[in-house]
Amino acid sequence: QVQLVESGGGLVQAGGSLRLSCAASGRTFSTYGMGWFRQAPGKEREFVAAIKWSSRSTYYADSVKGLFTISGDNAKNTVYLQMNSLKPEDTAVYYCAARRIASGGGYYAISGYDLWGQGIQVTVSS
């Protein structure tokens, strides 16, 4: 009924750019913020970026700071991830997540989110 759907992934050459989108479908809902995580083959899911709606504060993993930009529209439960200067190590399945709770590990942690998309593949060729 309520779900997040990612789009905009695909194959890109190193140094290129992609913009991921995440939109809610079904019944509308409220969130404290939204974020992006990624998981490469054989690795654990890791934090990429997040946005806190009340202050419009943004948070980034050190590896993507200055290269990726998160933005969105709280009223539409929509979030974007602009990815520039992509590297092969950015190859992963990217997941959109919504923080509908005030508990958990916060914006940097998987436990801080309670609604997840199915993920979308991003492949960066060398």
Side-chain angles (χ1 to χ4, degrees):
Q1 292 294 320
V2 178
Q3 60 181 354
L4 300 176
V5 181
E6 301 96 337
S7 62
L11 175 65
V12 65
Q13 293 183 351
S17 299
L18 284 175
R19 190 177 80 146
L20 302 182
S21 298
C22 173
S25 64
R27 181 178 295 180
T28 187
F29 54 91
S30 298
T31 66
Y32 290 96
M34 298 181 73
W36 291 94
F37 290 74
R38 65 187 181 186
Q39 187 167 23
K43 301 184 67 176
E44 296 183 351
R45 191 170 300 187
E46 65 177 3
F47 171 79
V48 177
I51 183 167
K52 180 180 180 180
W53 297 126
S54 62
S55 61
R56 305 298 294 188
S57 298
T58 56
Y59 310 90
Y60 297 95
D62 289 341
S63 61
V64 306
K65 188 172 295 184
L67 302 173
F68 292 8
T69 302
I70 188 170
S71 62
D73 185 340
N74 183 32
K76 298 181 179 180
N77 289 133
T78 300
V79 68
Y80 306 96
L81 184 68
Q82 178 66 45
M83 304 184 292
N84 297 326
S85 300
L86 284 163
K87 309 166 186 175
E89 49 263 46
D90 293 317
T91 295
V93 175
Y94 283 69
Y95 296 88
C96 173
R99 180 172 165 83
R100 301 183 296 177
I101 56 176
S103 59
Y107 286 91
Y108 293 99
I110 292 173
S111 62
Y113 303 83
D114 66 335
L115 181 64
W116 294 80
Q118 289 296 305
I120 189 166
Q121 180 70 45
V122 171
T123 302
V124 184
S125 62
S126 60

